[in-house]
Amino acid sequence: MDRQLRNLIVLGSAFACFTASALAQSSVDLREASWLASDHRIFALTNEPALDREQVLEAAASAPFAFEYQNLAAFRADLELGEHLFRTPLLLGGQAAKAGLSCNSCHVSGRSNPAFQFPAISGEAGTADTTHNFFSETLGNGEFDPGPIPDLTQPGKVSHDLETRDLERFLGTIVVEEFGGDQPAQGVIEALSTYVRALRVSQQPASVEYRARSIMRDLADAKTMTEHAMSRLDSEEAALPNLLLAGARDRLAIIHERLIAGEHDVYRAWLTERSREMGAVQAILRDEHSQSNDARRVLSQALSKWDEMPDFELIERSTYYSKNTLIIHTEGQRSSLRGSPSVDADVNQVMRGVSRIAE
């Protein structure tokens, strides 16, 4: 049997078993739960490393790479863009995008993720096999050799030197060869490298402080990504604004799945409508006969709807952003899920990724 086919069969079996086990312990359908170790899952779903964006900007603004920009506003814009791309699964492409994995999944807020444990890709929690055939036909070595996930705020193996541009080449290799993604659009690697360099110079302490996940931060990020897409609609390439809209829709999907059907239907419907509007803009961008003015008009109308956003903060405690709500729903349905025969359906739910509310 072909080695790659055998690896995929093993991975598929492991993923099915892992998902069945995960759902037996967590009754809620959160995509992130599929790659989090069971003993860290609740904490990781409701907390994240604290990262002060203004502190990162201030620390990086005096670094040599910041002086490549015309002014501080341009530097801030690319720094924000890099962070948003860092959190966008579609950037990586291939199987990672299908599973909903982004750079941030392994390096959450730029730090290592001690809870990361993707089936058949990780060994112990906090490790990953970056040369596994499942993700890469190019770099796959046919061996299971997971290693610790590095903290990007700390010194590492890849040089950040501006003259050599080793970091840019490394990031391009990750996207195209390690994960099988498309060749990044103009400006993507540049923004990513700016963000990764900023993480390094921000002098984050080795010990990690955590904060609660926030529905309002996720909403703000989705809107900011949409605004970044708008600002790049006049460029010759549609790939970057399309990627940003895909990232914004993914963030809305993350919020959507943390709201409870029957309790938060009005809020879920609002998210779905915003996602569909972004999808309409993506369709325009894919049409070679369309004009940037068409996309700008539709996206401008979509952004105006954010002024009518319902009060999501009012319901946060009753959603799966809340640790208490997550635990209550997990414990309440654990017994009904144990031994469930619908593993295939559950795997499909986990793997549907960014398309969760795209239609």
Side-chain angles (χ1 to χ4, degrees), residues 82-92 96 100-113 116 149-150 152 171 174-175 179 192 195-196 199:
E83 181 180 1
H84 291 316
L85 293 171
F86 191 82
R87 295 170 177 264
T88 299
L90 231 62
L91 168 69
L92 297 180
L101 291 175
S102 66
C103 302
N104 193 69
S105 302
C106 287
H107 309 279
V108 58
S109 299
R111 313 305 295 255
S112 58
N113 186 354
F116 186 86
I149 296 171
L152 301 184
L171 292 173
I174 288 177
V175 173
F179 289 101
L192 273 175
Y195 177 61
V196 173
L199 288 172

Side-chain angles (χ1 to χ4, degrees), residues 133 207 231 255 287 294-295:
N133 294 65
S207 58
S231 70
I255 302 168
D287 183 354
D294 297 331

Side-chain angles (χ1 to χ4, degrees), residues 217-231:
R217 279 199 301 272
D218 279 348
L219 283 164
D221 285 350
K223 184 181 181 184
T224 302
M225 293 174 82
T226 309
E227 292 169 340
H228 273 286
M230 170 77 89
S231 70

Side-chain angles (χ1 to χ4, degrees), residues 34-54:
S34 65
W35 62 72
L36 296 174
S38 58
D39 51 346
H40 299 293
R41 189 170 297 129
I42 296 294
F43 180 83
L45 286 171
T46 55
N47 294 273
E48 63 183 0
L51 185 68
D52 188 328
R53 289 169 173 168
E54 288 302 316

Side-chain angles (χ1 to χ4, degrees), residues 9-246:
I9 291 173
V10 170
L11 178 68
S13 300
F15 193 89
C17 293
F18 181 92
T19 304
S21 174
L23 289 172
Q25 298 178 50
S26 177
S27 64
V28 295
D29 178 24
L30 299 185
R31 185 180 58 195
E32 294 171 72
S34 65
W35 62 72
L36 296 174
S38 58
D39 51 346
H40 299 293
R41 189 170 297 129
I42 296 294
F43 180 83
L45 286 171
T46 55
N47 294 273
E48 63 183 0
L51 185 68
D52 188 328
R53 289 169 173 168
E54 288 302 316
Q55 180 186 7
V56 171
L57 174 67
E58 183 179 353
S62 58
F65 61 91
F67 295 104
E68 293 196 322
Y69 293 87
Q70 293 181 345
N71 50 52
L72 183 61
F75 176 61
R76 176 191 287 269
D78 233 28
L79 188 62
E80 283 186 0
L81 174 62
E83 181 180 1
H84 291 316
L85 293 171
F86 191 82
R87 295 170 177 264
T88 299
L90 231 62
L91 168 69
L92 297 180
Q95 299 299 332
K98 291 179 182 178
L101 291 175
S102 66
C103 302
N104 193 69
S105 302
C106 287
H107 309 279
V108 58
S109 299
R111 313 305 295 255
S112 58
N113 186 354
F116 186 86
Q117 195 170 41
F118 197 93
I121 300 299
S122 301
E124 297 179 355
T127 66
D129 181 359
T130 58
T131 55
H132 198 287
N133 294 65
F134 178 67
F135 287 132
S136 174
E137 296 181 0
T138 304
L139 300 182
N141 60 8
E143 302 292 335
F144 182 60
D145 47 5
I149 296 171
D151 183 336
L152 301 184
T153 70
Q154 306 301 313
K157 297 179 181 179
V158 179
S159 170
H160 286 198
D161 186 75
L162 281 173
E163 293 184 4
T164 65
R165 300 291 175 176
D166 286 346
L167 178 60
E168 282 82 352
R169 282 192 292 274
F170 177 70
L171 292 173
T173 298
I174 288 177
V175 173
V176 178
E177 298 185 23
E178 185 174 320
F179 289 101
D182 294 332
Q183 189 66 36
Q186 182 178 359
V188 167
I189 294 299
E190 293 81 358
L192 273 175
S193 61
T194 292
Y195 177 61
V196 173
R197 284 192 174 99
L199 288 172
R200 176 74 62 83
V201 302
S202 63
Q203 299 180 337
Q204 301 293 320
S207 58
V208 182
E209 293 186 7
Y210 285 84
R211 65 184 179 187
R213 292 279 295 270
S214 165
I215 195 170
M216 299 308 294
R217 279 199 301 272
D218 279 348
L219 283 164
D221 285 350
K223 184 181 181 184
T224 302
M225 293 174 82
T226 309
E227 292 169 340
H228 273 286
M230 170 77 89
S231 70
R232 285 162 173 80
L233 285 177
D234 292 330
S235 64
E236 294 183 2
E237 293 188 16
L240 182 52
N242 183 63
L243 182 61
L244 285 164
L245 289 172

